[in-house]
């Protein structure tokens, strides 16, 4: 039966539309799809996880994917929704998809920071549209304005979720100032969004072998560690070989060039990131962070036009399939 669900993958969607799409998939394809909340945000939104897999067994390798950890990076949830649609709706047509869904369990959170995302959609004001953090309640700090003036109080909202994981928390490239864009929060995992990732991944008891987190922009494929220059895990050769192969597959589609390396070596050192935590604390072998289109050094990088969603999704999916393949070769 041709169960077509009306959902335009070439547009940016609201949180409500995203939820409706995931639920429609779960209802239409109950043999391969389950949707469940993994946590509740400060503003009361349920963070949805979609599990895709047939003949689920504990010993199938698991692959984690999250999008939208940063509010303004709209292309991230959009490409993750494309991955979901490929896995679920092409299953009956495409033997590659069937193999990926039969032999692995996919745990996908397309929109990890729905509060921040909805906020960034609420106005085209740059302050709002370019919001990065979540929407945690206001925190205040005393700031001194000069030697002879009394300190004033400044209050701001939001934690940078990609500084809130427990990996060299608060050490570099992060801030203790609640008004900073890279405010790391009061302690590691102070936020419901990061806690929901931690608790879900921990709950899988080592089943998750691959951890992919999607950001924009700069066209970089990162592997750990991002917290310090020239700092690598023991099996860095496996990770860099896989990342290079993935970047090659990505480029083969439309010629889009990616830089491959650690976040620290390619962009800047930053601690408390999820990809480092997945590798360093959770011992997940294949942990990668994608910085999607556009290229580095453009002024409007977070404002990627909707006509770029499908090409970005298609090329990135090529890279993800390489990483999934590698996961299967290592853990099947
Ligand atoms: O591990 O090096 C890391 C983290 C890298 C990302 C981060 O700061 O969390 C990089 C930025 C991101 O996608 O959030 C890059 C973009 C362009 C930004 O906002 O600076
Ligand atoms: Zn980001």
């Amino acid at each position: 039966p041709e169960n077509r669900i009306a959902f335009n993958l070439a547009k940016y969607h609201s949180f409500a539309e995203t939820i409706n799409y995931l639920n429609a998939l779960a209802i239409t394809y109950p043999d391969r799809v389950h949707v469940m909340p993994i946590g509740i945000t400060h503003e009361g939104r349920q963070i949805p996880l979609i599990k895709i897999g047939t003949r689920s067994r504990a010993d199938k390798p698991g692959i984690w994917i999250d999008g939208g950890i940063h509010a303004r990076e709209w292309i991230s949830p959009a490409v993750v929704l494309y991955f979901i649609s490929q896995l679920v709706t092409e299953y009956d047509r495409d033997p590659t998809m069937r193999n990926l869904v039969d032999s692995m369990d996919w745990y996908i959170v397309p929109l990890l920071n729905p509060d921040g995302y909805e906020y960034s959609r609420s106005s085209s004001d740059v302050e709002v549209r370019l919001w990065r953090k979540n929407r945690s309640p206001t925190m205040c700090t005393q700031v001194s304005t000069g030697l002879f003036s009394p300190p004033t109080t400044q209050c701001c909202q939001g934690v940078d979720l990609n500084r809130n994981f427990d990996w060299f928390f608060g050490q570099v490239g992060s801030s203790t100032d609640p008004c900073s864009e890279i405010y790391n929060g009061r302690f590691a995992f102070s936020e419901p969004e990061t806690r929901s990732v931690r608790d879900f991944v921990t709950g899988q008891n080592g089943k998750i072998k691959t951890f992919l987190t999607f950001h924009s922009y700069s066209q970089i494929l990162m592997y750990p560690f991002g917290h310090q220059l020239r700092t690598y895990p023991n099996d860095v050769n496996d990770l860099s070989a896989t990342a290079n192969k993935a970047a090659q597959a990505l480029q083969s589609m439309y010629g889009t060039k990616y830089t491959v390396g650690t976040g620290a070596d390619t962009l800047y050192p930053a601690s408390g990131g999820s990809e480092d935590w997945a590798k360093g604390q959770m011992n997940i072998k294949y942990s990668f962070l994608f910085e999607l289109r556009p290229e580095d050094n453009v002024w409007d990088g977070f404002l990627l036009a909707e006509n770029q969603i499908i090409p970005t999704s298609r090329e990135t999916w090529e890279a993800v399939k390489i990483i999934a393949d590698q996961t299967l070769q290592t853990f099947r």
Side-chain angles (χ1 to χ4, degrees):
E2 199 53 7
N3 287 316
R4 285 244 151 247
I5 298 168
F7 187 79
N8 188 349
L9 290 164
K11 298 253 171 247
Y12 294 120
H13 290 278
S14 68
F15 175 66
E17 289 162 355
T18 303
I19 293 276
N20 289 341
Y21 179 52
L22 300 181
N23 287 335
L25 290 174
I27 288 167
T28 313
Y29 304 97
D31 58 317
R32 62 195 85 147
V33 175
H34 295 275
V35 175
M36 65 201 93
I38 57 163
I40 298 182
T41 65
H42 289 288
E43 292 180 349
R45 294 186 177 86
Q46 294 196 328
I47 302 167
L49 177 141
I50 179 168
K51 178 185 174 190
I52 305 168
T54 50
R55 303 190 278 250
S56 230
R57 294 186 318 264
D59 60 339
K60 279 172 83 179
I63 173 162
W64 169 275
I65 293 180
D66 68 76
I69 190 172
H70 286 140
R72 64 192 174 192
E73 301 166 9
W74 290 5
I75 186 61
S76 162
V79 304
V80 174
L81 288 170
Y82 176 94
F83 304 159
I84 292 169
S85 103
Q86 286 293 302
L87 289 167
V88 175
T89 67
E90 297 304 303
Y91 179 89
D92 297 309
R93 276 185 282 269
D94 183 342
T96 309
M97 290 311 122
R98 190 168 320 149
N99 180 44
L100 290 176
V101 172
D102 288 345
S103 53
M104 291 207 257
D105 285 324
W106 298 71
Y107 302 98
I108 308 183
V109 178
L111 193 48
L112 182 55
N113 176 13
D115 292 356
Y117 182 74
E118 284 298 292
Y119 180 67
S120 78
R121 287 173 56 86
S122 67
S123 155
S124 52
D125 252 37
V126 288
E127 292 279 298
V128 178
R129 173 59 187 85
L130 295 185
W131 187 258
R132 165 178 167 94
K133 301 186 283 183
N134 74 351
R135 297 293 291 162
S136 65
T138 302
M139 286 278 298
C140 301
T141 39
Q142 300 267 309
V143 289
S144 50
T145 46
L147 210 45
F148 301 106
S149 38
T152 60
T153 307
Q154 241 190 17
C155 301
C156 292
Q157 256 187 293
V159 168
D160 182 348
L161 298 175
N162 207 36
R163 300 293 181 275
N164 193 243
F165 285 78
D166 187 16
W167 184 255
F168 293 89
F169 175 80
Q171 303 252 322
V172 273
S174 67
S175 169
T176 55
D177 173 3
C179 296
S180 162
E181 284 221 306
I182 50 171
Y183 173 49
N184 49 218
R186 282 160 56 237
F187 48 87
F189 294 119
S190 60
E191 301 310 295
E193 297 87 353
T194 52
R195 276 203 301 273
S196 68
V197 177
R198 177 196 65 189
D199 294 347
F200 186 86
V201 171
T202 310
Q204 297 309 307
N205 293 315
K207 175 178 169 163
I208 295 177
K209 306 300 185 193
T210 295
F211 185 99
L212 306 179
T213 181
F214 288 85
H215 291 251
S216 70
Y217 60 98
S218 289
Q219 294 171 199
I220 307 173
L221 179 45
M222 299 177 185
Y223 51 81
F225 290 107
H227 72 281
Q228 190 169 279
L229 285 167
R230 293 179 294 279
T231 304
Y232 315 103
N234 296 329
D235 58 352
V236 64
N237 291 338
D238 297 349
L239 300 195
S240 69
T242 304
N244 278 301
K245 215 174 145 195
Q248 237 169 51
L250 188 156
Q251 185 177 346
S252 71
M253 186 155 273
Y254 302 111
T256 307
K257 286 205 167 63
Y258 264 59
T259 307
V260 176
T262 72
D265 294 350
T266 60
L267 194 61
Y268 45 67
S271 54
S274 69
E275 155 239 18
D276 277 6
W277 164 83
K279 181 72 185 174
Q281 295 278 14
M282 300 310 293
N283 222 355
I284 295 174
K285 181 167 177 87
Y286 295 109
S287 179
F288 298 107
L289 182 154
F290 282 77
E291 290 289 347
L292 300 166
R293 291 193 197 185
E295 60 189 356
D296 206 351
N297 297 323
V298 296
W299 67 273
D300 57 350
F302 299 112
L303 311 179
L304 194 67
E306 283 183 329
N307 65 15
Q308 299 235 8
I309 296 176
I310 297 294
T312 306
S313 302
R314 290 186 62 194
E315 69 188 8
T316 312
W317 185 227
E318 293 305 303
V320 173
K321 283 188 287 184
I322 295 285
I323 297 169
D325 238 42
Q326 185 59 42
T327 307
L328 278 176
Q329 281 177 41
T330 315
F331 294 104
R332 78 154 67 250

